[in-house]
Amino acid sequence: MTSHPAFPPPPGARAYPLRTSRGEFAVVDSSPKPGAEVRGVVLMLPGFTGSKEDFRLLHEPLAERGYRVVAVDGRGQHESDGPLDDESAYAQRELARDVLAQAEALGGRVHLVGHSLGGQIARAAVLLDHSPFVSFTLVSSGPAEISVSQQQRVKLLRDALAVMSMAEVWEAIQAMGPPEEVGGPARGLGDQDQLRRRWLGHSPAQLLATGRQLCTEPDRVAELAAVPLPFHVLSGAHDDTWPVAILDDMAVRLDARRTVVTGAEHSPNADQPLPTAHALADFWDGLGRGRFPAAPGTA
C-alpha cells in the first residue's frame, strides 16, 4: 500500500489503510461537516480499473448533508494490495467477503454504493449477508453481463494483459481508447500522470478475473429483490455498458427508487457530481424519515 498517493484526498477527507479481518484496504474517508446533523455512513465501491478517487467529487456535498463517506480500493485495485498472478484471489465471492469485512470494520449499518463492477461485487456481498447494510445503491451497474460491444473491448484489454506488461498496455490504451466500462485508465478525474500511476497500481490478475466476471455475470435480480433492503438504481442519461432501458427494467424488478442524472453517462459521480450527490442523499434522508422511496426521478 503506497505511502505516496497519486491523488491527494479531497478537502476534509483523509486517506489511510482500513484494517479489516481480511487485511488492509486503502480508503478515502470524509466526516460530516461540522454543524451538520450526522445521518449515517456510506461505503462506496469503484468499477473496473477504477479506484476510490472516482468518488472524490461526492465527498464534500455528502459531508454537507451529514454523511460520512468511505470510498475504498478493492483487493488488487490501485492502492490496495493483492496477488499479481493468482486470479482465484479475485473470485467474486472472495471480493464480496472483503466488502462484508469492510462494512464490519466501519461498524456496520452502512449505506452501500457500488459503481459498475463495484455494483455487482456489492450485490454479491448483499446476497451473502445483508445485515451490515441500511440500503443498497447501484450506480450504472446492470442486472447481468455488460453489452456485447463492451464485452469486445474488455476482451481486447484482457488479451493485451495476457501478453504485455501493465506499462505496455497503458500505451496501447492511449492509442485505442479504453472501453467505457474502464471508466478508466485514460479517462477519469486526474491528469495523465495520475491516471497512469493508478493503472500501474492495479494487479493484472485482478483485471483479468474481474474483466471475465463482467462478461459472464448472470442475472441475479430476482435473488436481490427477495432481500429486505431499500434499493436505488442511479445512472446517467446515456450508457453503452448497460443501456438505460435495461437499468429502468432492473429498477422495476427491484421495486427500487430510480434516478437518471441529466448530462451524465457511465460515471455520473464524475460527470455530474452535485446532482448525483443530492440524489443519493435524498434517497438516504427519505429512509431516515421512515419512507421507502421507489418513485422514479430525474436529477
Side-chain angles (χ1 to χ4, degrees), residues 162-251:
V163 297
M164 299 165 69
S165 70
M166 289 291 286
E168 290 170 335
V169 173
W170 169 263
E171 296 304 324
I173 286 170
Q174 301 312 295
M176 75 177 188
E180 182 186 39
E181 167 59 25
V182 166
R187 294 178 57 198
L189 300 170
D191 61 31
Q192 286 299 292
D193 179 63
Q194 289 173 313
L195 295 173
R196 182 178 186 275
R197 287 174 64 190
R198 177 173 77 166
W199 168 254
L200 294 177
H202 277 72
S203 159
Q206 190 268 356
L207 294 169
L208 288 166
T210 57
R212 183 179 297 108
Q213 290 168 26
L214 284 167
C215 296
T216 59
E217 178 74 3
D219 188 323
R220 304 186 72 187
V221 175
E223 292 176 70
L224 186 62
V227 174
L229 280 180
F231 301 116
H232 185 190
V233 175
L234 184 150
S235 74
H238 176 76
D239 197 315
D240 285 336
T241 303
W242 288 280
V244 171
I246 288 177
L247 300 175
D248 291 340
D249 177 71
M250 182 178 72

Side-chain angles (χ1 to χ4, degrees), residues 93-119:
R93 185 178 181 87
E94 294 302 307
L95 299 178
R97 291 176 64 199
D98 288 346
V99 175
L100 294 174
Q102 293 155 11
E104 179 186 34
L106 295 174
R109 307 306 297 159
V110 303
H111 296 286
L112 183 61
V113 178
H115 174 236
S116 199
L117 170 72

